Amino acid sequence: MVEVAVGGVLALPEAYGLGPIEVTAITGGPVEMAAPLTGPGSGVAGCSGGGGTSSDGGGGVTMKCGVGPAATINDAMSLKVAEIRKTTAVLRVEPAG
C-alpha cells in the first residue's frame, strides 16, 4: 500500500499498460486519477461509486474510484482505494487475479 496526496505520482510496471498514475483530486468522495496509456487500449472495471474511464486526446485514461472493492485495469492490475483521508488516499496496486 502507498499513501498519496494530490499531485502524487505512482509509477507502475510496464506490463500494466499504463504510465505513472497521478492523483488529480481528493475531495472526500472518490479519488480522481489520470495516467497515460503505454499499451494498446484500456479497460477499467469495478471502481465503486460509479467510477469510470474516458479517453483523452493524448492517449490517457482518467479514473474516479472510491473506497471499496478493487478495480481491474487492463485485465492486468488491481487498484484498490483502501482509505481516503483529508488530503491523502491509501492505494493498493497489485497484479490482477
Side-chain angles (χ1 to χ4, degrees), residues 25 29-33 44-52 62-71 73 79-81 84 89 91:
V31 177
E32 297 180 31
M33 298 166 274
V44 175
C47 278
S48 64
T62 60
M63 300 170 277
K64 292 182 180 181
C65 301
V67 173
I73 302 172
L79 170 69
K80 180 177 181 173
V81 177
I84 298 173
L91 307 178

Side-chain angles (χ1 to χ4, degrees), residues 17-19 34-42 54-62:
L18 293 177
L37 296 172
T38 60
S42 69
S54 63
S55 198
D56 67 33
V61 64
T62 60

Side-chain angles (χ1 to χ4, degrees), residues 2 5 7-11 13 17 23 27 36 38 46 48 51 55 62-63 69 73 76 80 85-87 95 97:
V2 62
V9 176
L10 179 61
V23 176
T27 59
T38 60
S48 64
S55 198
T62 60
M63 300 170 277
I73 302 172
K80 180 177 181 173
R85 300 176 181 156
K86 282 186 174 185
T87 59

